[in-house]
Amino acid sequence: MSRADPRPELAELAAAGLLRTLRPLDSPAGPRVVREGRELWNFGSNDYLGLASHPALADAFIEGVRRHGAGAGASRLVSGTLPPHGALEDALAAAKGMEASLLFSSGFATAAGSLPALAGKQDVVVLDKLCHACLIDGARLSGATIRVFPHNDVAKLDRLLGTLRARHPEARILVVTESVFSMDGDLCPLREIVDAKDRHGALLFLDEAHAFGVTGPAGMGLAAELGLQDRVDFQMGTFSKAAGLSGGYLATSAAWRDLLVNRARSFIYSTAPPPALAHAALAALGILRSAEGDALRGELRRRIDLLCPGHPSAILPRILGDNDAALAAARNLEARGFLVPAIRYPTVPRGTARLRISLSAGHPLHAVEDLQRELAAAAR
Ligand SMILES: *Cc1c(COP(=O)(O)O)cnc(C)c1O
């Protein structure tokens, strides 16, 4: 069969239970959605606080368009830096207890652009085994030597860093991990990782995508929760999850930010995010840091504790193993009125296909209780 024909590859994916297809939602993305004419409780989004449908954010977006226009027109370095971009970066850096921050179009663009700016072929990037695809791709693009440590295994990381430092005395060694892992919902042992990287003169790049807005004081993340901002060199995050919008950021020192402005290709060669988006993100940051933000995090906590008391994040995996089993479980839940995605390889390792339940402050308690009943019945 010719490589010019994509169909054999699609057939192979389908045969392995790995084919993905797009299914439109016929409603705004919220806790209750309409898909193919049916109403479903949506347990498949990362909108942990319900901000994606918050009226104040919609208003801020519209106000941003009225004030600043629909688009930025160019890359930030050319002519695209508008007042809300700078205002958001300053507010975010202050909120996170960092010197500076830099915005990107998405979390993916943040990782894919900043990792190659921070490490080169003479350097080493050390990733947790379960790091998100954008971190892996950013590390690959850097051309650095790549090493992987077993998920959250600090003893192995420490040994690996010792070996690497002895072999590469002058190299920049960048440890990359996530504060809340996106498909497992567990936390990294941040304090121990920070100690290890400091022992070996390495730098730490922490992806707070699923912690930003949810974890720590005012939702400012795991580094803030543990008071480790000063020792986490790079805090990455996104406005696409708990902040309800889109757009990525990297918070760091002023000097590192200057280097990124000069070297991060997804920043340099890409049109700035719409200024209205930055304006809305500033409003989202305001909500996250307000009493309303605290109340929403409290509501989210109640829902997490209903399904899994004490669990550290809004992401609850139910690992089933087999691709077809995960797909069948998702189909059954959908027939019962619940949208819960089946997650398969390569998003998760082979043999660990799962349902990924994500909770939101916007879910009514009765919907969470109903889901719990369905999950218990399915497990019987
Ligand atoms: C979603 C996600 C990203 C990408 O963020 P986007 O803004 O959606 O591009 C990066 N890292 C992790 C861990 C994520 O889960």
Side-chain angles (χ1 to χ4, degrees):
M1 194 63 76
S2 157
R3 290 282 297 155
D5 184 353
R7 285 169 298 184
E9 214 168 314
L10 288 167
E12 235 171 75
L13 285 171
L18 292 174
L19 189 69
R20 287 149 156 88
T21 57
L22 294 170
R23 297 175 63 191
L25 280 185
D26 307 315
S27 68
R32 187 94 169 136
V33 293
V34 179
R35 179 191 256 185
E36 287 153 15
R38 291 193 54 230
E39 282 197 34
L40 301 168
W41 290 113
N42 180 10
F43 287 96
S45 100
N46 303 309
D47 180 24
Y48 303 123
L49 302 178
L51 296 194
S53 48
H54 195 299
L57 286 196
D59 287 346
F61 221 139
I62 291 164
E63 183 190 67
V65 172
R66 292 233 151 83
R67 272 198 215 170
H68 304 289
S75 161
R76 292 271 298 279
L77 281 166
V78 178
S79 65
T81 293
L82 281 92
H85 294 125
L88 177 59
E89 286 173 341
D90 291 347
L92 184 63
K96 292 214 121 230
M98 301 293 272
E99 224 173 69
S101 79
L102 188 66
L103 298 176
F104 293 77
S105 309
S106 69
F108 200 107
T110 307
S114 57
L115 287 171
L118 301 175
K121 60 180 185 312
Q122 67 280 31
D123 299 318
V124 187
V125 179
V126 184
L127 299 145
D128 185 284
K129 177 93 172 82
L130 296 187
C131 273
H132 190 266
C134 67
L135 301 170
I136 297 169
D137 288 1
R140 284 184 178 150
L141 270 175
S142 76
T145 300
I146 297 179
R147 291 287 176 267
V148 172
F149 64 98
H151 179 52
N152 281 348
D153 189 336
V154 183
K156 289 244 169 73
L157 170 65
D158 190 58
R159 243 176 292 145
L160 181 58
L161 289 175
T163 309
L164 289 168
R165 184 44 88 205
R167 197 177 304 154
H168 307 272
E170 303 298 328
R172 215 175 258 167
I173 301 181
L174 192 59
V175 176
V176 179
T177 192
E178 300 179 17
S179 38
V180 174
F181 281 83
S182 58
M183 296 299 138
D184 291 76
D186 57 342
L187 306 183
C188 76
L190 185 60
R191 198 181 297 283
E192 291 75 11
I193 287 177
V194 164
D195 286 342
K197 70 96 186 172
D198 278 350
R199 253 195 308 280
H200 302 285
L203 299 168
L204 178 60
F205 185 107
L206 181 68
D207 185 348
E208 298 249 36
H210 295 275
F212 181 62
V214 175
T215 309
M220 289 302 109
L222 186 61
E225 173 154 275
L226 301 178
L228 292 170
Q229 296 97 317
D230 291 348
R231 295 173 68 199
V232 176
D233 309 275
F234 308 99
Q235 290 184 38
M236 170 190 153
T238 175
F239 284 91
S240 66
K241 303 212 161 128
L245 296 162
S246 77
Y249 67 79
L250 194 74
T252 182
S253 71
W256 281 117
R257 179 186 185 272
D258 289 346
L259 185 74
L260 288 164
V261 167
N262 283 275
R263 291 255 200 270
R265 292 165 68 86
S266 64
F267 175 83
I268 299 168
Y269 299 104
S270 186
T271 299
L277 177 63
H279 186 78
L282 207 46
L285 188 62
I287 294 174
L288 294 179
R289 303 182 70 210
S290 69
E292 182 186 3
D294 284 334
L296 289 170
R297 282 183 287 276
E299 290 301 316
L300 176 61
R301 183 75 254 165
R302 281 179 72 190
R303 284 147 183 79
I304 296 167
D305 285 341
L306 258 182
L307 275 192
C308 192
H311 185 74
S313 75
I315 302 164
L316 300 148
R318 287 280 187 285
I319 296 178
L320 298 167
D322 184 64
N323 293 329
D324 291 328
L327 288 172
R331 262 195 311 272
N332 286 341
L333 282 169
E334 184 166 338
R336 311 282 292 173
F338 301 91
L339 195 170
V340 179
I343 308 288
R344 294 163 283 165
Y345 176 84
T347 309
V348 293
R350 287 183 200 278
T352 69
R354 66 196 66 184
L355 294 172
R356 176 184 184 269
I357 300 155
S358 48
L359 295 171
S360 168
H363 288 130
L365 286 170
H366 67 82
V368 181
E369 286 160 354
D370 289 348
L371 174 66
Q372 183 179 35
R373 221 168 293 123
E374 293 297 338
L375 290 169
R380 247 181 261 124

